[in-house]
Structures are given as structure tokens and as C-alpha cells.
Amino acid sequence: MSYVKALKCRECGREYPKDPLYVCEYCFGPLEVVYDYEKIKKKLTRETIESRPKNLWRYKELLPLDGEPTDGLNSGFTPLVRARNLEKALGVKELYIKDDSVCHPTLSFKDRVVSVALSKAKEFGFNTVACASTGNLANSVAAQSAVAGLKRYIFIPADLELGKVVGTLIYNPILVAVEGNYDQVNRLCSEIATKYKWAFVNINIRPYYAEGSKTYGYEIAEQFGWKAPKHIIVPCAGGSLITKIYKGLKEFKNLGLIDKPETKIYAAQATGCSPIVTAIKENAEIIKPVKPNTIAKSLAIGNPADGVYALATVKETGGWAEDVSGDEIVEAIKLLAATEGIFTETAGGVTLGVAKKLIEQGKIPKDESIVVSITGNGLKTQEAVVEKIGKPIKIKPNIAHFEENVKR
Ligand SMILES: *Cc1c(COP(=O)(O)O)cnc(C)c1O
Ligand SMILES: [Zn+2]
């Protein structure tokens, strides 16, 4: 049974049938999935959700399928970790890590969106999937489409980290490395998508794909004890995740699953690619595209598709935004590892670095609940830290040599 009513233009409100469409013919606004919340309300209670397996489909009525899910049956429901050591290090009272560095199967939050996109693409009858990716999406589409038995074309910028490339090629897709930045890859893919009948998960399937990100927000609210925390810091690339976390909290409120969220949402970007953060700091209405130059490659989108909606989310919730340098990213990655035993990729360094900065600035109060969104795994971006973590002590295999060389 489907709870999806239609697609709707986010700008002019025109409705469209639930087809593989993504842009309004009249105003070129992006399309979004609309649900029958009255019907969902009758079905979806806290108890129903809690009785279901611990994966993102426990919220399936709020996801855009007509039938049962077929992909990502083990994705999502990642830990919300109470970060006691990090609380001490930052001088705050109550801090949590929402840890998608261990999302199944490819260790980033992109497994959520891909689970939904592929399930939907199969409902539409596509046999080929594709994506334009900054790395994590490539990993997830490659892995999950292998399981689904779909043909796949994956497009990435040619300068991605080795971990992201290997983590894609291992699943044997057709991987195309484009000599250019992500924005150029994306433009090329838009052209390809109009010519070939493929399900481009983040282009023509985007309205459905993006809904998967809501589950990150649902889980925070459920795991926090069916309420919303006071502050959530979110890394932004295209600006979709931050928008959808907020949509998820509002939906939970409208369904009576949580009280009205008084959550401030904060955008985190790297200084070398911070179009969303810059717009917030300058109180601008529009996003000025930039040419990315940062070690946080998974966030390196200079012309973010959902930038204006990310902006609106931050404004509406009363949050704020910050950016951090490459050195600050590395420091934050090391801090998270040293305090909580979590090894995050550069995007996670951005988020924690920004959280630290906002706390130091007094923008986030020290005595309220804070959730830091950790969205990817550090083993994929080893280049960023390998020169900054020391080296193993090499010894000969005997005790004398051990005692001579290793301080005790
Ligand atoms: C894609 C990605 C994001 C941000 O996603 P958007 O929805 O495009 O803003 C955040 N963190 C990681 C690790 C990602 O791969
Ligand atoms: Zn429109």
C-alpha cells in the first residue's frame, strides 16, 4: 500500500504524478514527494515502529515506495552514541554522535538514500542505474546495485581519494572518472540522463532518493527517546541531508510521534567550499557558486542543488553556520578518534570542527543537548591524515630490541 499522493513543485506548488520526474516544467523548481499524512497517522505509532527490525525501513510509510522495499534491508539504524569523553574535551553537558560511519553496507549515510532510490528505480522498471558522485554515493550505488543485479554507470571527479575509488571498483560497475570537478560531472550527467533511459539516483530519481535522508532525522528522534535534541550540526554538500533531517522532525511532530521540535540546525562546510555557509553568514538570499578547493572532497559541491533550502532550514530553526580549514578538519578527526574511538572521514572532521567552533563562539550553549552528524568513515580518506598521525615503531623480533626502542 502506498502513502504517496503525488510529486509537488517546491517553488510553485504544482502537482505531478509519481513518475521519474524531478523538475517543474513551469518554473524549473525541484519536485518533492507528498504523502497522505492522515492515512499514515492511523498506521504509524511509536509501538509499530519499535516492533520492527532495526533498519531504515522501520519508517517505510514515510518513504516513497508503492510496494515493499527490496534494497537496503540492513541499512540505517546506526548508533546514537553518548560521547562522554568528547563532552569533557569540549566542556559541554550532553553531546551525542549519530554515527553513520558504520552504516551498512558501505559505511556512509549515502546507504540510506541509495536503499530508497534503488527500491524505487526497480518499481519504475529501470534495469540500469547511474549517479554523479563525490565518492560515498559511488560506493553505495556500486555495492547495492550489484546485489540488486542492475547495470550501473558511475561518474566521479578524477581526483577522488583512493579509498573511494577502490571502494567503488571492487563491486565492478562501469566507473567513469571525469576530468573536472563535481559540478562539471553533475552537468555532464544531467545531459546523459536526458538522452539515456537510466535511473540516475541523484538526478531523475532525486525526489525519491532524497527522502532516504529523512531516516537519519527519524532515528535521532527515536533514539533520543522520542524527542528532538536542542542542536544538530549537519555537514552540507548539495544541502539535501540538512533539509531532510528537518523535514523528518516536522513529520514526526505532525504525526504526533514527538512534541514540537525546538531544534536549531547548523550547517557545516569546509572553508575551501562553503557556498551555503557563506550565504548564511552574509544573510544572502541566494547561493553564490564557488570552485571547490578542499580536502573534504565528499562535501566539495560548489553549486549545491538544495542550497537555498538548506539556507531556509537554518534560518527557520534559528541555527547558524560555520566553516573550517583543512588543519581544523584533521584536528577534529583526531579528536573524535582519541575521545570516542570513532574514525571519521573528512566530512566528519568538518562537522565536529564546526561544532567545536560554534560552541567556542557561544552560538551553541554548553548546557543543552547537541547531536553531531558523523556521516562517513575515515578508512576511505586516509590521505587526509596519513602524514599527521606518527609512524609505527619498527623493531627486530626480540625482547632486547623491544626494550631498547619502546618506551614503557
Ligand atoms: C553526500 C555527503 C554529505 C552531504 O550530503 P548532501 O545531502 O548532498 O548535503 C555529508 N556527508 C557525507 C560523508 C557525504 O558523503
Ligand atoms: Zn513549479
Side-chain angles (χ1 to χ4, degrees):
M1 178 153 67
S2 174
Y3 298 88
V4 177
K5 281 211 280 207
L7 294 178
K8 189 174 173 184
C9 174
R10 269 159 109 167
E11 291 301 319
C12 74
R14 255 193 195 80
E15 291 207 350
Y16 290 83
K18 37 184 184 175
D19 291 334
L21 302 169
Y22 65 107
V23 65
C24 176
E25 293 173 13
Y26 294 89
C27 75
F28 302 107
L31 304 184
E32 187 173 37
V33 178
V34 207
Y35 298 84
D36 184 343
Y37 290 110
E38 285 311 308
K39 210 157 107 189
I40 295 173
K41 201 167 183 169
K42 287 191 196 112
K43 177 79 195 277
L44 203 60
T45 62
R46 290 180 184 177
E47 292 68 34
T48 320
I49 294 170
E50 283 169 348
S51 72
R52 291 177 175 168
K54 291 188 162 47
N55 64 62
L56 60 88
W57 295 108
R58 65 207 265 112
Y59 315 104
K60 65 181 176 184
E61 287 82 358
L62 290 160
L63 293 169
L65 298 187
D66 287 338
E68 287 298 309
T70 51
D71 295 273
L73 301 181
N74 296 292
S75 295
F77 218 78
T78 55
L80 181 72
V81 179
R82 178 76 187 256
R84 305 252 182 211
N85 293 333
L86 191 52
E87 284 170 3
K88 280 204 197 93
L90 299 179
V92 298
K93 210 174 117 204
E94 193 183 358
L95 188 129
Y96 302 81
I97 301 295
K98 177 60 179 167
D99 189 10
D100 264 18
S101 76
V102 292
C103 203
H104 184 85
T106 65
L107 309 178
S108 88
F109 104 89
K110 293 296 197 302
D111 287 321
R112 299 173 183 276
V113 283
V114 172
S115 301
V116 177
L118 295 198
S119 292
K120 194 66 202 175
K122 282 192 279 178
E123 277 190 356
F124 283 137
F126 286 102
N127 58 20
T128 304
V129 292
C131 70
S133 172
T134 57
N136 284 315
L137 184 59
N139 296 170
S140 188
V141 169
Q144 297 207 48
S145 60
V147 181
L150 296 161
K151 275 195 274 183
R152 45 255 155 82
Y153 292 84
I154 291 168
F155 298 82
I156 54 171
D159 71 342
L160 278 197
E161 301 94 339
L162 184 62
K164 299 265 167 86
V165 175
V166 173
T168 304
L169 284 175
I170 193 67
Y171 307 108
N172 199 27
I174 295 167
L175 178 63
V176 184
V178 181
E179 289 171 11
N181 61 33
Y182 174 82
D183 299 284
Q184 293 168 304
V185 174
N186 191 47
R187 216 167 308 135
L188 169 66
C189 286
S190 295
E191 236 175 284
I192 296 171
T194 57
K195 202 158 168 194
Y196 296 87
K197 293 279 157 276
W198 299 344
F200 264 91
V201 302
N202 55 341
I203 301 177
N204 54 340
I205 306 297
R206 189 174 180 88
Y208 306 94
Y209 152 97
E211 290 292 286
S213 288
K214 294 190 305 187
T215 62
Y216 193 88
Y218 298 150
E219 289 174 18
I220 290 174
E222 179 181 347
Q223 293 168 321
F224 193 60
W226 295 107
K227 62 186 196 314
K230 282 275 160 61
H231 308 275
I232 306 179
I233 303 100
V234 186
C236 296
S240 178
L241 174 63
I242 190 169
T243 315
K244 296 296 177 174
I245 289 174
Y246 187 42
K247 181 180 180 185
L249 294 179
K250 283 189 293 186
E251 286 178 329
F252 261 24
K253 151 75 176 64
N254 292 337
L255 294 168
L257 295 167
I258 60 171
D259 290 339
K260 187 174 164 44
E262 285 166 12
T263 309
K264 295 184 176 174
I265 300 184
Y266 303 81
Q269 294 197 296
T271 306
C273 182
S274 59
I276 296 171
V277 170
T278 302
I280 293 165
K281 285 179 166 177
E282 294 177 352
N283 198 23
E285 303 273 300
I286 53 156
I287 307 280
K288 225 188 289 159
V290 301
K291 232 195 186 125
N293 178 19
T294 169
I295 58 165
K297 295 182 193 216
S298 54
L299 302 181
I301 299 186
N303 189 9
D306 289 295
V308 289
Y309 304 109
L311 204 70
T313 298
V314 169
K315 275 193 188 164
E316 231 177 286
T317 62
W320 191 240
E322 256 309 343
D323 52 272
V324 282
S325 69
D327 286 345
E328 289 172 306
I329 293 170
V330 172
E331 279 317 302
I333 292 174
K334 290 169 73 172
L335 176 65
L336 185 61
T339 52
E340 298 304 327
I342 295 169
F343 183 16
T344 187
E345 70 150 82
T346 46
V350 168
T351 317
L352 181 57
V354 163
K356 184 167 180 281
K357 227 173 186 172
L358 291 167
I359 291 164
E360 284 165 2
Q361 290 169 358
K363 288 264 179 357
I364 297 179
K366 296 188 166 178
D367 58 348
E368 295 182 350
S369 51
I370 305 167
V371 171
V372 177
S373 307
I374 294 300
T375 48
N377 192 294
L379 290 169
K380 296 191 195 183
T381 62
Q382 297 181 39
E383 293 88 339
V385 295
V386 69
E387 300 296 336
K388 292 163 182 154
I389 47 177
K391 293 228 154 48
I393 304 162
K394 269 197 189 152
I395 62 166
K396 303 235 154 48
N398 65 65
I399 187 126
H401 216 239
F402 162 72
E403 290 181 338
E404 205 172 293
N405 288 284
V406 184
K407 206 166 54 187
R408 292 166 322 279

